[in-house]
Amino acid sequence: MRFTPATALEQLDAEALVAFVHPGASLQPALAAWDAARGGTLAAVLTAGDLAGEASALLPFWLPGGPVRRVVVASLGKAGGLDLEGFRAAAGEAARCVQELGHRSAGVLLPDPAALGWAAGEAPSWDALAEAIAEGAGLATFRYSRGQKAAQDPAPGLETVVPLAPDEHAALVDAAFGRAGKLVACIDVARTWIVRPGNDLTPARWADETRSEAERLGLSVEILDEHALQQRGFAAITAIARGSERPPRLMVVHHRGGAPDEAPIAIVGKGVTFDSGGIGIKPSQGMERMKYDMAGGAAALAIVFAAAQLGLPLNVTAVVPAVENMPSAHALVPNEIVTTYGGLTIEINDTDAEGRVILADAIAFAARDLGARAIVDMATLTGAIGIALGREYAGVMGTDPGLVAALCKASERSGEKLWELPLGPAHHNRFDEALRSDLADMLNYPGRDASAITAAAFLKPFAAGKPWAHFDIAGVGWSNAARGHRIKGPTAAPVRTVLAWLRAGAPFGEG
Ligand code: BES
Ligand code: MN
Ligand code: ZN
């Protein structure tokens, strides 16, 4: 999707127009005048009550006489109930509707934020509103097709979006659309990776594509192949990869926007390109979804790409272990003991709890080799998080209350919902006790009780005392239906939340 510079409604040359209204409220003056000059259709249908009251309801209709042939009005719900996430959702619904109706270009009329009924506090600025609208429209119109399906469906989609705003706000609006466009482009890279099946997006191919993308953006990248991983002691990563014909990789991508001597923020993501469960194979029902078991890794890479594209003045490094978890005659057998990169030993009692094992090496690498000043990991780690929180809230846990609180604050800005689960006190901790092994320092799977929490408790020691937080995105990583700005498919959570945190200066600890 391309955003053109902002213009006035009178100058709009696009196939469609999107506008936002509180049903029942009077039309914004520019829209009322534009509509009156075209016969007053919009005022007539709104007065007739055709637009449903609930937020994100749509009213699409033809407007004969061109050049704008179609108008889509999106409801903002009752005045007094509005927030920026509501705007992202309404913009998403409207943009998807325009795209599905076959239009390639649309103008989006920005309302005056001061004239709307916000739920809490002051009205947002023009650029915050513009960014939310552009984000919503960009997120919702992502389409993915490859191979045969792509050949059958050559429809170009909504290619051009024209923001319509008063002259005095045009520069801010353009900059906001520019930022949103860059962020969505990075999210699209992640979503395109997540939808690809395991035979296509193998660890090696993913690493090659990551290298090209990083180099295209001017970022430095290191890829460790199987040999390098073995040589350097990443035994947890190579152990999980052993059952697969497809060799593992460790991807490390640096954005150096901060002072040269400043330790980086590490963003670690689980990159299991397909999780069959290994020797402890999963039931076949629904197993195909496990191609998305690298959604955390794709998100981590997208975060660093976006941090670079937005020119954030921070050093941020993505660390993504990529493996396929398969059963074979060579595969890891239950009860094997693995010595991780950090030196701690793990008794692998369950080969399907593989994510935490590869993350152990990656987090230890971030703490030791990168000397990260804070570590944030993201992973489709447990089915249990979906049982506990469902498909709307990601789970977050961590060792640094300031970091967890700052991430929760950032999630209020991004609209990606987040809920903290208790990791327990450092001194006497039942979750840590549950991980005790008779054969090694830790068990990789202590059982079903609180298993989203024990998975996080397993990761904790690998951060070696650094401020650390963990997102469990297994419940929210994939959406079964298109709704608001969400497509049917990968959500790329928690990219926008972590970006919001980085844009606030990546606060953690007391400060
Ligand atoms: N990738 C899965 C987590 C998962 C499960 C994501 C279901 C989405 C839906 C992870 O590797 C896994 O298999 N976890 C198991 C752990 C256990 C059975 C060893 C789980 O949570 O069920
Ligand atoms: Mn698994
Ligand atoms: Zn997994």
Side-chain angles (χ1 to χ4, degrees), residues 149-206:
K149 196 76 191 291
Q152 286 161 5
D153 177 23
L158 181 57
E159 286 172 334
T160 309
V161 169
V162 188
L164 305 165
D167 278 352
E168 65 265 38
H169 303 297
L172 276 181
V173 168
D174 286 340
F177 269 62
R179 288 193 299 273
K182 285 175 177 165
L183 174 59
V184 171
C186 296
I187 287 176
D188 287 352
V189 171
R191 294 193 287 190
T192 306
W193 280 333
I194 297 166
V195 290
R196 286 165 61 187
N199 68 314
D200 174 14
L201 195 79
T202 62
R205 195 172 291 157
W206 188 13

Side-chain angles (χ1 to χ4, degrees), residues 253-454:
V253 180
H254 305 276
H255 163 59
R256 297 196 172 102
D261 58 345
E262 187 187 73
I265 303 280
I267 310 290
V268 181
K270 172 177 173 181
V272 177
T273 56
F274 188 72
D275 180 13
S276 69
I279 289 293
I281 198 164
K282 289 178 180 294
S284 57
Q285 173 101 44
M287 196 202 273
E288 73 280 3
R289 178 60 53 77
M290 284 301 134
K291 68 177 182 178
Y292 96 133
D293 212 19
M294 36 59 74
L301 293 166
I303 287 162
V304 172
F305 295 159
Q309 287 281 283
L310 296 172
L312 299 190
L314 293 166
N315 296 329
V316 190
T317 299
V319 181
V320 178
V323 304
E324 185 183 53
N325 186 25
M326 292 293 261
S328 86
H330 308 284
L332 191 69
V333 293
N335 210 233
E336 261 188 63
I337 311 293
V338 171
T339 302
T340 63
Y341 189 67
L344 290 170
T345 56
I346 311 173
E347 174 188 347
I348 310 277
N349 61 317
D350 194 319
T351 63
D352 197 10
E354 82 298 338
R356 64 196 74 184
V357 177
I358 64 169
L359 286 171
D361 274 2
I363 292 171
F365 171 82
R368 270 186 17 181
D369 293 43
L370 298 178
R373 61 194 173 98
I375 302 172
V376 176
D377 82 73
M378 48 207 65
T380 49
L381 203 60
T382 67
I385 200 71
I387 307 292
L389 298 180
R391 309 182 52 85
E392 204 60 41
Y393 282 81
V396 67
M397 285 154 269
T399 50
D400 182 293
L403 173 57
V404 173
L407 291 170
C408 289
K409 266 253 166 287
S411 87
E412 286 169 20
R413 296 194 294 280
S414 74
E416 292 176 327
K417 294 185 175 55
L418 191 57
W419 198 258
E420 185 183 1
L421 273 62
L423 204 45
H427 45 285
H428 183 78
N429 191 322
R430 285 283 151 78
F431 300 126
D432 295 343
E433 275 175 19
L435 289 158
R436 281 199 192 134
S437 158
D438 295 333
L439 303 170
D441 293 321
M442 274 195 288
L443 212 54
N444 79 325
Y445 184 62
R448 291 173 61 194
D449 280 6
S451 67
I453 299 175
T454 54

Side-chain angles (χ1 to χ4, degrees), residues 5 31 44 89 278 395 431 471 474:
L31 184 57
F431 300 126
F471 284 88

